[in-house]
Amino acid sequence: MIFDNVRQFLVVLDCSAEDGPPVFSSGDTVSGKVLLELVREAKVESVKLHAGGYAKVHWTESRSAGSSTAYTQNYSDEVEYLNLRETLMQTGEQALRASPVPSTRMPSTSRRIFSMSSTALCQPVFFKGKHGCVRYWIKAKLHRPWSTVKKTKKDFTVIEPIDINTPDLLAPQAGTKEKIAQAWYCNLGQVSVTAKIDRKGYTPGEVIPIFAEIDNCTSRTVLPKAAIIQSQTFIARGTLKQKKSVVATLAGDSVPAGKRETWHGRALKIPPLGPSIVQCRIIRVEYALKVCVEIPGSSKLLLELPLVIGTIPLHPFGSRTSSVGSQYSVNLDWRYMTVPELPEPPPEYSSIVSEEEVQNRLAPPRHASMGCILEGPFYAYIQEFRNRPPPIYAEVDPNPPTPDIRPRCMTC
């Protein structure tokens, strides 16, 4: 409006995250302030606050009631998690006033502090899907006489901590599947796949080492693949609506007919994903790792291993499968417990020490009396031979002792 006296009206939440939307954990206290700045003196009846949070699903399906009759069936449901109201200012308080002079630092006429407990929102995290969502917000309303209600809204995110450092989520996941491939009523042979991952729970950004064995006994070349599948399930009126999507993929090498392929920890990185939602009554978000074998002319062979995407990462030394162990498990064969690659041999001696350096180090020190030097401790000259090659074995000593040097007594 042209003659609106409100210059600024917004909700500011107290949150540790400086960049990005405000994030709270379930059970935290949501606090902040409502900033109101006016151009000139104005009367205000009240400033009210409303905090809400809900999970909502909705979709439609076409139904047929006969040969020429069709109708649309609506499915919707809603679960409320947060509904708190608070009045920050009532009629009768002092009129608000602001400086009409513009400046880079805009002064606020009123700064109302609020605090609301979010213990009620202990179930799902913030989520937005195709047929449903979970949202949390705080809305402020400014009531003035002879004026429309001024509104401002601030969304925030709630995260329910999912700790993957639990025995259930740290347990290894493995499976085996096989099938007889057929094409046009012709038996092509049997193909089987065995896969294993070191644990069930992961966090975004981690790498899943996949250990698998693909045995191709068919007469055709097959192609193994792996993928992370996200499954969104929406529930309303006893009906389920599901949507699946591929969030990460990994392609292996082709396996010729009659051959076997082994994956010694193929790495599949988890992209930025929302955590799993399993405690909401109408929305579920689940993940799975699928190992697929594509057979030309026949249906695919699928092996599925469950996954849980959490928010608390793996402790470095808090469990048997630590982050260091997970990195080494990529290179270790989990069946034979052997290292697939041989260690790198040490470099040649000549590539480190030149011939000139060898001659200088082998030359004896120039002193007036050799005997006084040899009478001293030997450790002062041990470091001079640290890069010498081992001596060549011979029955005759190439460097016999000099007669003028007195033998050293080992017991003195």
Side-chain angles (χ1 to χ4, degrees):
M1 297 177 61
I2 300 178
F3 301 103
D4 193 357
N5 293 331
V6 179
R7 176 180 295 172
Q8 187 181 33
F9 183 52
L10 70 160
V11 176
V12 179
L13 298 179
D14 297 333
C15 184
S16 58
E18 298 180 358
D19 299 332
V23 179
F24 297 92
S25 297
S26 62
D28 289 348
T29 298
V30 180
S31 60
K33 50 186 171 289
V34 177
L35 301 180
L36 175 61
E37 183 181 359
L38 303 176
V39 177
R40 61 182 62 86
E41 181 180 344
K43 293 183 178 180
V44 175
E45 292 182 354
S46 63
V47 177
K48 296 183 178 181
L49 205 67
H50 181 203
Y54 60 84
K56 182 183 295 185
V57 297
H58 176 76
W59 74 90
T60 59
E61 295 182 3
S62 299
R63 301 292 184 182
S64 176
S67 58
S68 59
T69 305
Y71 66 97
T72 301
Q73 182 70 45
N74 295 315
Y75 294 90
S76 61
D77 201 351
E78 182 176 349
V79 177
E80 186 179 88
Y81 295 104
L82 179 64
N83 187 8
L84 299 176
R85 298 179 183 271
E86 183 178 343
T87 301
L88 301 182
M89 192 192 69
Q90 286 281 16
T91 305
E93 295 189 18
Q94 185 178 1
L96 306 181
R97 184 184 303 273
S99 174
V101 180
S103 61
T104 56
R105 184 180 179 181
M106 301 173 62
S108 299
T109 303
S110 179
R111 182 172 299 183
R112 301 288 169 163
I113 309 299
F114 65 88
S115 176
M116 294 184 175
S117 176
S118 61
T119 55
L121 44 97
C122 59
Q123 298 292 336
V125 301
F126 178 86
F127 168 76
K128 185 177 181 181
K130 184 177 181 179
H131 304 292
C133 64
V134 179
R135 298 186 61 187
Y136 298 91
W137 44 264
I138 290 183
K139 185 185 299 182
K141 293 183 179 181
L142 173 63
H143 296 267
R144 296 167 295 170
W146 307 101
S147 299
T148 58
V149 178
K150 189 75 173 180
K151 301 178 183 179
T152 182
K153 188 177 181 181
K154 182 68 174 181
D155 294 330
F156 62 94
T157 301
V158 175
I159 294 181
E160 176 66 16
I162 300 179
D163 191 357
I164 67 172
N165 300 278
T166 59
D168 182 41
L169 299 185
L170 291 177
Q173 305 295 309
T176 303
K177 253 192 176 182
E178 58 184 22
K179 66 172 294 185
I180 302 296
Q182 295 182 350
W184 297 100
Y185 303 101
C186 296
N187 191 347
L188 302 178
Q190 179 177 289
V191 59
S192 63
V193 58
T194 301
K196 177 183 177 181
I197 55 178
D198 57 355
R199 49 192 162 95
K200 183 179 180 180
Y202 290 88
T203 53
E206 284 191 289
V207 173
I208 304 178
I210 306 174
F211 303 91
E213 185 176 275
I214 300 94
D215 194 2
N216 182 18
C217 297
T218 66
S219 58
R220 299 187 178 182
T221 300
V222 300
L223 179 63
K225 295 182 179 181
I228 299 177
I229 308 297
Q230 183 193 63
S231 177
Q232 301 177 6
T233 304
F234 308 94
I235 306 171
R237 297 169 53 184
T239 304
L240 276 68
K241 187 74 171 180
Q242 198 171 56
K243 181 181 181 299
K244 293 187 177 183
S245 58
V246 179
V247 295
T249 58
L250 169 67
D253 300 328
S254 300
V255 184
K259 299 295 182 178
R260 178 180 297 176
E261 174 73 12
T262 303
W263 288 1
H264 299 279
R266 286 289 183 95
L268 179 58
K269 188 175 182 180
I270 303 176
L273 298 172
S276 301
I277 300 178
V278 295
Q279 298 181 352
C280 183
R281 182 175 61 85
I282 60 176
I283 296 178
R284 290 201 306 265
V285 178
E286 299 168 312
Y287 296 91
L289 174 67
K290 284 192 176 182
V291 180
C292 165
V293 180
E294 295 183 353
I295 309 170
S298 181
S299 58
K300 301 177 182 179
L301 174 61
L302 297 176
L303 174 61
E304 183 173 326
L305 301 177
L307 289 177
V308 173
I309 304 299
T311 57
I312 301 178
L314 189 70
H315 296 164
F317 304 100
S319 63
R320 176 178 57 86
T321 55
S322 64
S323 59
V324 177
S326 299
Q327 295 176 5
Y328 280 105
S329 65
V330 175
N331 298 326
L332 292 178
D333 190 342
W334 59 275
R335 295 172 305 160
Y336 305 105
M337 297 302 295
T338 58
V339 180
E341 297 182 358
L342 295 177
E344 184 180 356
E348 295 291 338
Y349 177 79
S350 59
S351 64
I352 299 177
V353 182
S354 63
E355 189 68 24
E356 182 180 357
E357 292 178 345
V358 173
Q359 296 297 332
N360 294 335
R361 289 175 179 176
L362 292 180
R366 302 294 181 180
H367 291 277
S369 177
M370 184 67 70
C372 63
I373 296 178
L374 294 180
E375 286 292 331
F378 283 91
Y379 64 84
Y381 298 97
I382 292 177
Q383 60 179 350
E384 296 295 329
F385 297 89
R386 61 182 182 274
N387 290 325
R388 292 190 59 186
I392 301 175
Y393 176 78
E395 295 182 357
V396 180
D397 189 359
N399 301 310
T402 307
D404 58 348
I405 299 178
R406 181 176 61 86
R408 184 180 179 88
C409 181
M410 302 303 295
T411 60
C412 295

